[in-house]
Amino acid sequence: IVPMQRKTNFDNLVVLLIDMQIKFIQKDIEKVEIIPNQISVLEFCIPKQIPVVVFEYIGNGRTVKEITDVLKNKQSERVYYLQKQYNDAFYNPTLSKILKSFATKTILIMGINAGFCVYETTKTAIKKGYQVTTSKDLIAGYKSPKEKSPCPCVSWYKKNTIFFDSHEKIIKKIK
């Protein structure tokens, strides 16, 4: 039996970039390796006027320069910087206002950590009725299937989101 494929709808897409801050990334090669993939998505989406919301966890430094440089160079009015003080980005009410203002249907989520901030935000987005999409190479901090932890591994994202093997496959699907 072949599992039913969920229809991917990239209409009214908003990109959420979660906690790509120096303090969370330093000295962790897995986290550093996702930055070029995230930059590829941003460089594709911004000229298409796809809104981007960048979240920074209060007290943990700024978003890494490689990403902020791309956002500055693209000169879009549709890039928003928001702060959060909890794992779930939806605790900042401005996020819901932004999503509503663009009649958002789908959220492309990128960032760290797969088991905490990205996970909590993804759960809330799904609960609020948004379709969430991502890929393995846009999020860091997955636990291994053998780890005894409440944090999700890749299988949780495969089950609960429109999950792609790579960011290139997402880019090809966006009109």
Side-chain angles (χ1 to χ4, degrees):
I1 298 173
V2 177
M4 188 174 84
Q5 290 289 320
R6 286 181 270 189
K7 183 170 176 0
T8 309
N9 177 354
F10 285 108
D11 296 340
N12 302 63
L13 175 70
V14 170
V15 175
L16 290 189
L17 181 71
I18 310 260
D19 299 345
M20 291 304 296
Q21 294 159 265
I22 297 160
K23 185 174 179 180
F24 293 130
I25 294 170
Q26 61 193 3
K27 298 179 188 145
D28 190 331
I29 194 68
E30 176 205 12
K31 293 173 181 173
V32 171
E33 286 176 345
I34 66 171
I35 294 171
N37 306 331
Q38 294 171 339
I39 289 172
S40 292
V41 169
L42 295 170
E43 287 178 335
F44 178 83
C45 290
I46 292 171
K48 295 186 174 305
Q49 292 298 304
I50 295 170
V52 174
V53 182
V54 178
F55 270 98
E56 295 178 338
Y57 209 117
I58 294 171
N60 291 287
R62 301 302 318 246
T63 299
V64 294
K65 188 174 181 338
E66 300 95 316
I67 291 173
T68 57
D69 284 350
V70 168
L71 297 173
K72 279 183 209 158
N73 292 339
K74 295 296 178 185
Q75 294 293 316
S76 174
E77 305 88 51
R78 292 185 174 205
V79 175
Y80 304 86
Y81 284 88
L82 299 178
Q83 291 189 321
K84 63 188 187 71
Q85 56 185 353
Y86 302 104
N87 287 345
D88 185 348
F90 280 94
Y91 275 102
N92 183 326
T94 305
L95 175 59
S96 290
K97 290 175 186 167
I98 291 168
L99 296 175
K100 192 174 185 176
S101 75
F102 290 108
T104 306
K105 294 181 181 159
T106 303
I107 295 170
L108 168 52
I109 198 158
M110 314 188 292
I112 52 178
N113 190 307
F116 297 98
C117 297
V118 174
Y119 172 63
E120 294 298 332
T121 302
T122 300
K123 279 193 329 187
T124 300
I126 292 166
K127 203 181 292 182
K128 289 180 172 282
Y130 295 103
Q131 173 179 267
V132 179
T133 190
T134 193
S135 70
K136 185 174 177 156
D137 64 352
L138 291 174
I139 299 174
Y142 298 103
K143 76 173 180 93
S144 74
K146 293 177 183 167
E147 251 181 89
K148 300 266 189 270
S149 164
C151 301
C153 55
V154 173
S155 62
W156 185 89
Y157 287 91
K158 285 182 177 176
K159 181 179 174 187
N160 293 285
T161 70
I162 308 283
F163 193 82
F164 291 86
D165 293 332
S166 72
H167 68 284
E168 289 101 343
K169 290 183 179 176
I170 293 176
I171 289 171
K172 285 180 184 171
K173 290 276 188 183
I174 300 172
K175 294 174 186 143

